[in-house]
Amino acid sequence: MLGKMKLRHWVTAAMVAATMSGSAALAYPDGPVNYIIPFNAGGESDVTARYQQPYFKELTGQDMIVQYMPGAGGAQAWSGLNGYNGDGLTIMGTNLPHIILQPMLQDPGYATEDITNIYMFHFTPDALLVRKDSPYQTVQDVIDAATQNPGLVTAGGSGTNSANHVANQRFMNETGAVTTYIPYSGTGATESGLLGGEVDMLWGYTTVAARQADGVRMLAVATEERHPLFPDVPTFKELGIDMVGGAYRGIAVPSSTPEETRKQLSDIIGQINANPEFRKRMENDGYALIDVPYEEMSDFMAERKAAYEEVTGQLKAQN
């Protein structure tokens, strides 16, 4: 999957330079832009929005104001997205698999097709983490404990029907282990839950391992190859566990937003993603940048929907 994502790095230096040279002439945005994050402060969605802020200001001359609307694993915000004015001055963070799985498995108050995504800009690989003082030294230790004592090993994660929830289910399918999944309101809350001893292990991301390096140990990562920041951490595939995946994050607008504005905003986010300084900061924190602009979004969403359908029956049985 990451190989496919690399093919989407369509923004060349020449294109970026040409677009940036004309950015001053853009009519959009003509005021501050409210960026609604559907989770609590402190998680990946919040961190990356904060990273984007100065570059958005530099490109547009307007402030990007980050706000939070946590609840129902993001559904509280997404269900109200189309009620906002489509003038381009309200945008919202979106997450996969959340906005695909939630409508598949329940009635969250919105359909996947209701969400007008204009850009997917990064991917965070799933990772299995424990506290530094955990008795679990390897993935096999976790498998043994969760097989011998079904349900007693607790696994934290951000929300239900989310990337973390999918990772836990796939792990159980692949290994025969039985864990108890504990959903939290966001990635920041999961980190506190793990460090505070509320759960035995955490389905997080490489970004969590980078942020909490002194307090956690990453046992495996769900990438095709070892992550460059963690060369000593094996992939699940190395361990014979067929797991490659994680969370995708992007930006959406209300459905009433004009096509021209959608494309202009998509171009702006693409320019931010192509900025070498921004890219370095993101990659040093464990993010993997991708570029899926507005024009390619339909095909991308169809691909992801097909990938998630394999676990929907099992997740539905838990709801």
Side-chain angles (χ1 to χ4, degrees), residues 35-39 44-45 48 73-74 77-78 81 91-100 110 112 114-122 247-254 297 300-301:
Y35 189 173
I36 299 173
I37 301 300
F39 303 101
E44 273 82 1
S45 296
T48 53
W78 294 319
L81 173 60
I91 64 177
M92 187 175 289
T94 59
N95 296 57
L96 296 178
H98 304 53
I99 61 172
I100 292 178
Y110 71 94
T112 301
D114 294 336
I115 308 299
T116 305
N117 294 288
I118 56 88
Y119 209 98
M120 288 287 167
F121 61 91
H122 84 261
Y248 298 84
R249 295 183 181 85
I251 293 175
V253 295
M297 194 60 66
F300 174 78
M301 291 294 289

Side-chain angles (χ1 to χ4, degrees), residues 134-155:
S134 170
Y136 305 135
Q137 298 292 319
T138 66
V139 172
Q140 191 60 50
D141 289 342
V142 173
I143 295 172
D144 291 344
T147 302
Q148 296 166 11
N149 302 285
L152 291 185
V153 175
T154 54

Side-chain angles (χ1 to χ4, degrees), residues 186-208:
T187 304
T190 68
E191 295 175 29
S192 297
L194 177 66
L195 295 175
E198 296 174 5
V199 291
D200 298 312
M201 65 181 194
L202 176 64
W203 286 107
Y205 308 108
T206 48
T207 49
V208 176

